Amino acid sequence: QVQLVESGGGLVQAGGSLRLSCAASGSIFSINAMGWYRQAPGEQRELVATITRGGSTRYADSVKGRFTISRDNAKNTVYLQMNSLKPEDTAVYYCNADAITNPAIPVTIPYWGKGTLVTVSS
């Protein structure tokens, strides 16, 4: 199937920056949308940013202007550049990819990474 591995999380002080990466591997025919989601302590998972195969992006209002999502289709990798980080950005960040593994069955299946922790200190 498809495996997603996130990297780049860590501890940073408010106002700092981090760049998350997520590489997809396995039996992949194509990947449609990719995205980043996060889950803060005691909260439900929420969408942070998504990007289509063609490069169209969407952002949560809370991160708009601070975060930038991008992808390298050749490497099946999605990135999240996070600038001007705030303590409220503290969460486990999860990578998502909607992928087709078998072209004979053209249906996209959502795959998830295990998450990477981002902690922003005040």
Side-chain angles (χ1 to χ4, degrees):
Q1 57 163 357
V2 178
Q3 295 80 227
L4 301 177
V5 180
E6 303 100 334
S7 62
L11 175 64
V12 64
Q13 67 181 52
S17 299
L18 284 175
R19 187 183 188 233
L20 305 183
S21 298
C22 172
S25 62
S27 182
I28 302 171
F29 175 71
S30 67
I31 297 177
N32 295 143
M34 300 186 80
W36 289 95
Y37 295 72
R38 68 187 182 187
Q39 187 168 21
E43 303 292 333
Q44 296 204 317
R45 188 175 300 186
E46 65 174 351
L47 183 149
V48 177
T50 61
I51 183 168
T52 67
R53 185 169 57 187
S56 297
T57 59
R58 288 184 178 181
Y59 298 91
D61 288 340
S62 60
V63 308
K64 196 172 299 181
R66 299 187 298 121
F67 292 9
T68 302
I69 189 171
S70 61
R71 65 189 286 176
D72 184 334
N73 291 333
K75 295 182 177 180
N76 289 143
T77 300
V78 63
Y79 307 93
L80 185 67
Q81 178 66 46
M82 304 184 293
N83 298 326
S84 301
L85 283 162
K86 305 174 181 179
E88 49 262 48
D89 293 319
T90 295
V92 175
Y93 284 70
Y94 297 91
C95 175
N96 163 261
D98 295 328
I100 297 173
T101 58
N102 184 354
I105 308 175
V107 59
T108 57
I109 301 296
Y111 294 90
W112 294 89
K114 294 182 178 180
T116 184
L117 178 63
V118 172
T119 303
V120 184
S121 62
S122 60

